[in-house]
Amino acid sequence: MSVEPTRMLTGPGVLRVVWLPGSDRLQGTCHCGAEHVADGPVEVWEWLLAHPVGHEVATPATEPTTEPELVGAR
């Protein structure tokens, strides 16, 4: 008897590792959709943890600040 999951986590912090049936390999999937197949758990997790470089949560663009006017300065 097999039990299927009723829901799956999603979002920017979710990294997924699955076993590829019929092989001894693991597939890591980043939240951005990039995938990497590895021979062992250490290799796949090293890739997953290094891959998200550049995936940091984007900070909203701020308007350029202007220099404050000095009152009474000449």
Side-chain angles (χ1 to χ4, degrees):
M1 178 174 131
S2 140
V3 177
E4 294 294 319
T6 58
R7 62 188 173 105
M8 189 175 297
L9 293 175
T10 60
V14 177
L15 303 175
R16 195 166 317 283
V17 176
V18 296
W19 166 67
L20 298 175
S23 73
D24 290 335
R25 300 179 61 97
L26 298 170
Q27 177 180 314
T29 305
C30 178
H31 63 84
C32 74
E35 296 178 338
H36 178 76
V37 176
D39 290 324
V42 173
E43 182 184 345
V44 77
W45 277 109
E46 283 177 346
W47 179 83
L48 279 169
L49 296 175
H51 172 76
V53 171
H55 285 117
E56 288 84 15
V57 174
T59 56
T62 57
E63 293 182 24
T65 57
T66 58
E67 293 291 323
E69 290 183 31
L70 297 175
V71 176
R74 290 201 174 237

